[in-house]
Amino acid sequence: VTLNDLARQLNVSTATVSRALSTPEMVAPQTRERILEAVQKSGYRLNVIARALRTQKTRTLGLLVSDIRNTFFSAIVKAVEDVARENDYTVMICNADEDGRNEDAAMRLFSERQVSGVIHCFAGGNIKGLQHLQAQGIPLVDLDRKSGLTDVDFIVVNNERGASLAAQHLIDLGHRQIGMIAGPKHLSNSRSRLEGFRRTLRQAGIPTSSEQIEFGDFREASGQEAMYRLLALKKRPTALFVANNEMMAGALSVIRSAQVRIPHDLSVVGFDDAHWFQYLETPLTVVAQPVEAMGRRAAELLLARIEQKQGPTLEVFEPRLIIRSSTGSLDKKKTF
Ligand code: RIB
């Protein structure tokens, strides 16, 4: 079946059939529906390479996630792909595995494949790769973590406020020995979470001791190592804020093997929710990000930039504290 056959059968021009497939927004909705239905029935397969050559557009969004095994980023992938599908775009996904070198390689790939735009979750890569994409006229949206580029859209949660909600919750429960497993210092969201935590303790007149703040790299193993160090302290914390879900998994495994009871011996609050956290034996108190909404908005902004409808914007989403059972009031009698 050729485009000409379809055009004859539908009594429209070949150009209209072609437009319905390559730039559907330029065809009246009714005609477009009729054409797409006929195309589907006929078994016609679009040659996307020929289309890209003809239109000079790949209709592909590059999406770089920092760690694809992390459920935060799988939710981002789903949301971005949903928006892309609704707009007849496809998504090329690359995983940095929290390694800047993989991020740099992904930027080169996006450049070679001439993607229409890039959603970028920074993992410590070189800003030059991003500047190169910009020089090619490929629009970028930073998501979740700042790359350091100006003139890009940026979608982020209010990290400082999220950390502050967590810290204030622990303070309200009577805790004064509050530890934190923070993320890596080179990531903007990680720095903001640490800042929000410190500020809230300071405002409550609680001194933060540096030995109660451990740093990880947002991966599970670093959460384990940090937790070992915290449990080895002479003056252990009675409450703990963990700055992401992956490090939380590591911390929990150590807490469990050390037979520390949550929340009786240690109250725990994490940053990032996962739908199964509520089903744990001790459901986790968390600061949740509106991940799907953030992913969708990043894709919408990028599409707007591709169509040149919008300039760079900063959109900050609000986090939410979800109180479950892993936090409790300070038990004065505990010997821990
Ligand atoms: O777990 C990944 C963390 O890194 C999340 O909190 C998210 O904000 C991302 O940056």
Side-chain angles (χ1 to χ4, degrees):
V1 181
T2 66
L3 285 190
N4 285 337
D5 297 335
L6 286 166
R8 252 196 315 277
Q9 178 194 328
L10 294 164
N11 206 16
V12 294
S13 70
T14 311
T16 307
V17 179
S18 163
R19 258 199 306 278
L21 295 171
S22 56
T23 47
E25 66 280 5
M26 293 180 66
V27 179
Q30 252 185 340
T31 316
R32 184 172 64 211
E33 288 308 308
R34 213 158 58 87
I35 294 173
L36 294 181
E37 202 184 312
V39 165
Q40 210 178 14
K41 278 191 192 145
S42 71
Y44 172 81
R45 289 282 171 273
L46 179 69
N47 181 339
V48 286
I49 296 174
R51 178 178 77 174
L53 285 173
R54 203 173 51 246
T55 60
Q56 293 292 294
K57 285 179 185 162
T58 56
R59 294 191 82 83
T60 300
L61 304 182
L63 170 60
L64 175 86
V65 293
S66 320
D67 177 3
I68 201 153
R69 288 178 311 178
N70 183 330
T71 53
F72 173 89
F73 291 109
S74 38
I76 292 287
V77 169
K78 176 183 161 26
V80 170
E81 205 175 31
D82 284 350
V83 174
R85 193 180 306 111
E86 287 157 21
N87 289 276
D88 192 33
Y89 274 75
T90 49
V91 183
M92 181 182 286
I93 302 161
C94 289
N95 171 33
D97 236 352
E98 298 290 5
D99 183 335
R101 289 165 302 182
N102 294 333
E103 177 181 335
D104 294 342
M107 294 308 127
R108 283 196 294 276
L109 181 74
F110 291 155
S111 161
E112 287 159 12
R113 297 293 172 97
Q114 299 186 23
V115 296
S116 307
V118 170
I119 296 175
H120 171 256
C121 307
F122 183 64
N126 194 321
I127 202 166
K128 284 198 180 125
L130 297 171
Q131 285 167 336
H132 183 71
L133 287 170
Q134 279 190 315
Q136 274 181 277
I138 297 176
L140 295 166
V141 173
D142 273 350
L143 173 61
D144 177 50
R145 305 160 174 198
K146 271 188 192 140
S147 63
L149 279 184
T150 51
D151 192 29
V152 288
D153 293 306
F154 183 35
I155 303 287
V156 70
V157 78
N158 190 337
N159 286 294
E160 263 206 60
R161 173 148 173 76
S164 174
L165 287 172
Q168 191 60 52
H169 172 57
L170 297 171
I171 294 168
D172 292 345
L173 289 168
H175 294 279
R176 292 294 176 269
Q177 296 290 333
I178 305 175
M180 175 175 181
I181 301 182
K185 292 176 187 160
H186 68 279
L187 297 182
S188 61
N189 58 353
S190 168
R191 289 194 301 271
S192 301
R193 289 173 200 180
L194 179 60
E195 180 48 36
F197 174 80
R198 280 194 168 130
R199 181 178 43 78
T200 308
L201 262 60
R202 205 167 45 238
Q203 284 168 354
I206 300 174
T208 42
S209 89
S210 59
E211 64 169 13
Q212 300 222 344
I213 299 183
E214 286 289 343
F215 289 87
D217 61 3
F218 274 165
R219 312 291 292 256
E220 184 173 344
S222 71
Q224 277 178 332
E225 287 154 20
M227 197 65 228
Y228 278 124
R229 291 193 291 271
L230 287 171
L231 290 185
L233 290 177
K234 265 204 187 119
K235 203 167 184 186
R236 288 174 172 182
T238 62
L240 178 66
F241 169 48
V242 184
N244 95 329
N245 50 1
E246 290 288 312
M247 295 193 301
M248 174 62 96
L252 287 177
S253 73
V254 173
I255 290 171
R256 175 172 285 215
S257 61
Q259 295 183 342
V260 171
R261 293 162 304 165
I262 298 176
H264 185 76
D265 301 327
L266 183 67
S267 279
V268 174
V269 51
F271 208 106
D272 296 321
D273 196 17
H275 76 277
W276 49 271
F277 282 179
Q278 60 191 303
Y279 307 122
L280 290 174
E281 204 177 307
T282 309
L284 273 185
T285 296
V286 294
V287 174
Q289 310 190 49
V291 195
E292 293 231 355
M294 290 164 66
R296 282 194 71 88
R297 189 66 192 129
E300 285 163 5
L301 271 179
L302 184 60
L303 291 176
R305 288 272 262 164
I306 291 167
E307 306 294 337
Q308 296 180 334
K309 282 185 206 142
Q310 214 160 335
T313 55
L314 162 68
E315 293 193 16
V316 182
F317 285 68
E318 283 308 311
R320 197 162 55 97
L321 176 71
I322 303 175
I323 300 173
R324 300 198 182 104
S325 317
S326 66
T327 44
S329 36
L330 183 67
D331 177 354
K332 299 252 167 49
K333 288 191 294 290
K334 77 217 263 318
T335 52
F336 186 65

